[in-house]
Each structure stands twice: as structure tokens, then as C-alpha cells.
Amino acid sequence: MKQIEAIVQPGMRDQVVKAIKKTGVGGITVSHAQGQGAADPPLVGQYFSKERIVTVVPDSKVDDVLNSIAQVACTGTKGDGKVFVTNVEDALDICTKQKGESAI
């Protein structure tokens, strides 16, 4: 399993979520984020608003999800965002006690 974390422009949030859902992904977590990119000028106390979209998917869906995000979130301008993919060793559904991929 992989966790996919997309940091995107606020105006792209709903489009990215819709694109991810079309790939057959079930659960998505969305939160507001603020930060600065590595290439941004140092802005003391000032941050850019972004949306953070997180989902955990089976390994077989990673490429589909990444391609879907890139297709809708890319405007071709600086600051479109980033996507990070990390390994997930296990998962647990608290209520059903299901583990692994069946928990996602």
C-alpha cells in the first residue's frame, strides 16, 4: 500500500478529489495547508495557501492516481504543487478491525 499526499492550489481541490475518486479510490482526507516552496523567496511569517489531499491506495493504483492528479492540477505555472508517495506498512479499520488493504 502507498500513501499519496498531494499539495495543490486551493482552486484545484475539488477537481483533484474528483479525479482521484474516478480511479476507484475510496477514502480521501482533505485539509488546508500553508507553506513555502524551496524556490520561493524567503518570506518571514508569510505562507502560501494550499490544499492537502491524502489517500492510501493499493500499489496497483498508484500510477493511475498520480496521472489523474497531474492531468487536472497542472496549469503550467510555478506553484501548482507537489505529490509525495510513501510506503504504508499496515492499516487498521478501528471499528471493523480489518487490517491491510481491506481496511482501506
Side-chain angles (χ1 to χ4, degrees):
M1 293 178 292
K2 302 284 192 236
Q3 176 176 292
I4 298 174
E5 177 181 0
I7 311 295
V8 300
Q9 294 286 355
M12 293 294 177
R13 180 194 64 207
D14 294 339
Q15 292 168 314
V16 171
V17 168
K18 186 177 179 180
I20 292 171
K21 288 285 200 174
K22 279 186 180 179
T23 66
V25 170
I28 294 177
T29 300
V30 178
S31 60
H32 181 71
Q34 293 183 312
Q36 296 178 6
D40 293 331
L43 304 170
V44 179
Q46 295 180 347
Y47 301 99
F48 298 103
S49 289
K50 301 287 184 179
E51 294 294 323
R52 180 176 176 252
I53 302 163
V54 180
T55 189
V56 176
V57 301
D59 291 348
S60 62
K61 290 193 178 200
V62 171
D63 288 337
D64 290 341
V65 172
L66 293 177
N67 290 333
S68 296
I69 293 169
Q71 285 179 349
V72 298
C74 179
T75 66
T77 59
K78 180 182 173 231
D80 279 344
K82 300 277 191 240
V83 180
F84 303 100
V85 179
T86 54
N87 288 320
V88 175
E89 291 186 31
D90 204 357
L92 170 70
D93 184 301
I94 294 172
C95 290
T96 66
K97 309 297 187 270
Q98 290 181 316
K99 292 185 78 175
E101 284 190 18
S102 60
I104 61 172

